[in-house]
Amino acid sequence: MKKIIKTLALTLTLSGLAAPVVQAKEFVNVLTGGTSGVYYPLGNTLSSIYAESIPDSKVTVQSTKASVENLNLLQQGRGELAFTLGDSLSNAWKGNADAGFKAPLNKLRGIAAIYPNFVQIVASKESGIKTLADLKGKRVSVGAPKSGTELNARTLFAAAGLSYDDMDVQYLPFGESVELMKNRQLDATLQSAGLGVASIRDLASTHEIVVVSIPADVIKKTDDPAYNVAEIPADTYSGQTEPVQTASIYNYLVTRADVSDDVAYAMTKGIFENLDKLVASHSAAKGISLEHALQGMPVPLHPGAERYFREKGLIK
């Protein structure tokens, strides 16, 4: 009887009628930001790359409120890759409640530093705003509450001797801020993003704008190494004919400790071996380079990412 069963099993296998081996789907949810920012188009491009390069994967992209929400979602196991600003990532690892993290997010693991965000304060020309001090008494959007952008606003305004009480603060995403500025319902918007962010380009194409400088002494007073002195080059936006000094903060891609080494490796490799595709989706990706991939990483590197960087000679 046993011999008959074995013979039947062999026959079924050879004839292709045996039950197929089912591969478990590898879920990769990419946590981005608002659809009018930079994270979202880059996340969509990464999803296409991963769909092709990670075997048996189901890749999705989620639009979020960006940095703070992304990191909390990762800790909860509701994403595999997230975009975040460096200061938000540092606060998450420490568990800074004022920054939106009730406890240290100890499951976070680094994939790579990507491009720098530039803090871009843009006012309508008719508002009369030319300096940070001129924001007093004005209607100013600072991004979604507890977002990376909003944390940047709090930090830099405090360093400049300003507080939210000095102005009429609105907590709005990039696209909505621009629409209100077009309708003269808002005087200025602070947007922390890569250069050439779509929302500001849209505004500058139809309205006269002033890009407000953030002086080096203000940046130094933040007393936070995540903030660097940087420059928005002339002609980044229509009508902006001179370079403008501002602050920059590196962006990072992070994952969870329990994501497999192979998937983390594939996600890391997918970034640096498809830079042309990322640049095609948004010019901010021009700032991504293997040379700076480990710059200032505030959380432990995922072993899968570490394997890739060892192959490339960045880690000995």
Side-chain angles (χ1 to χ4, degrees):
M1 184 69 178
K2 287 181 180 178
K3 186 175 181 180
I4 294 172
I5 292 172
K6 285 181 179 178
T7 304
L8 179 60
L10 179 62
T11 304
L12 287 170
T13 301
L14 292 174
S15 64
L17 296 176
V21 176
V22 178
Q23 293 276 1
K25 281 282 187 185
E26 192 70 64
F27 289 95
V28 178
N29 187 28
V30 182
L31 304 167
T32 60
T35 56
S36 59
V38 178
Y39 289 173
Y40 189 73
L42 291 182
N44 271 297
T45 300
L46 284 176
S47 73
S48 298
I49 292 167
Y50 295 157
E52 293 180 3
S53 62
I54 300 176
D56 301 303
S57 62
K58 178 178 175 57
V59 187
T60 54
V61 179
Q62 185 174 340
S63 174
T64 67
K65 294 177 183 176
S67 299
V68 177
E69 182 179 12
N70 288 352
L71 296 171
N72 282 311
L73 287 171
L74 264 189
Q75 179 74 12
Q76 296 162 19
R78 295 167 61 189
E80 284 64 48
L81 186 72
F83 287 80
T84 180
L85 273 168
D87 56 337
S88 296
L89 183 55
S90 178
N91 281 317
W93 187 249
K94 295 172 187 172
N96 184 340
D98 290 337
F101 307 104
K102 295 178 181 179
L105 305 192
N106 57 9
K107 294 180 183 178
L108 303 180
R109 294 295 184 270
I111 290 291
I114 41 176
Y115 64 91
N117 255 25
F118 292 76
V119 178
Q120 300 164 76
I121 302 176
V122 177
S124 62
K125 189 171 183 180
E126 64 182 32
S127 71
I129 297 170
K130 295 179 181 178
T131 68
L132 287 173
D134 295 334
L135 294 172
K136 285 187 176 182
K138 301 295 186 180
R139 300 165 297 179
V140 183
S141 173
V142 295
K146 296 290 178 69
S147 64
T149 289
E150 200 256 316
L151 294 179
N152 293 166
R154 284 182 185 272
T155 300
L156 289 165
F157 287 165
L162 297 168
S163 77
Y164 284 0
D165 292 337
D166 294 322
M167 56 196 88
D168 178 5
V169 168
Q170 306 290 317
Y171 298 92
L172 302 168
F174 295 174
E176 191 173 340
S177 299
V178 163
E179 290 306 311
L180 289 180
M181 287 183 72
K182 288 179 179 179
N183 294 327
R184 296 180 172 83
Q185 294 174 280
L186 195 67
D187 299 305
T189 176
L190 183 148
Q191 303 194 4
S192 183
L195 292 175
V197 63
S199 51
I200 299 177
R201 282 194 287 110
D202 175 35
L203 177 64
S205 69
T206 57
H207 290 68
E208 289 187 290
I209 64 167
V210 173
V211 182
V212 180
S213 174
I214 302 176
D217 63 324
V218 170
I219 298 165
K220 187 176 180 181
K221 286 177 184 175
T222 65
D223 199 28
D224 186 335
Y227 289 81
N228 306 292
V229 176
E231 184 178 88
I232 301 171
D235 301 315
T236 297
Y237 301 106
S238 298
Q240 181 224 331
T241 58
E242 299 292 333
V244 178
Q245 191 171 82
T246 191
S248 70
I249 307 102
Y250 255 90
N251 288 282
Y252 293 86
L253 282 167
V254 290
T255 187
R256 305 190 318 267
D258 59 336
V259 167
S260 76
D261 290 1
D262 287 345
V263 170
Y265 173 87
M267 291 194 299
T268 310
K269 182 176 181 179
I271 298 162
F272 295 100
E273 301 197 1
N274 291 280
L275 289 178
D276 55 339
K277 293 179 182 177
L278 290 168
V279 170
S281 66
H282 200 287
S283 60
K286 292 176 182 176
I288 304 175
S289 70
L290 194 58
E291 179 186 359
H292 295 112
L294 299 176
Q295 181 163 327
M297 178 66 73
V299 299
L301 201 61
H302 193 288
E306 183 178 336
R307 190 209 311 173
Y308 178 75
F309 294 131
R310 285 189 186 281
E311 287 181 1
K312 292 299 178 180
L314 266 70
I315 299 175
K316 303 300 181 185

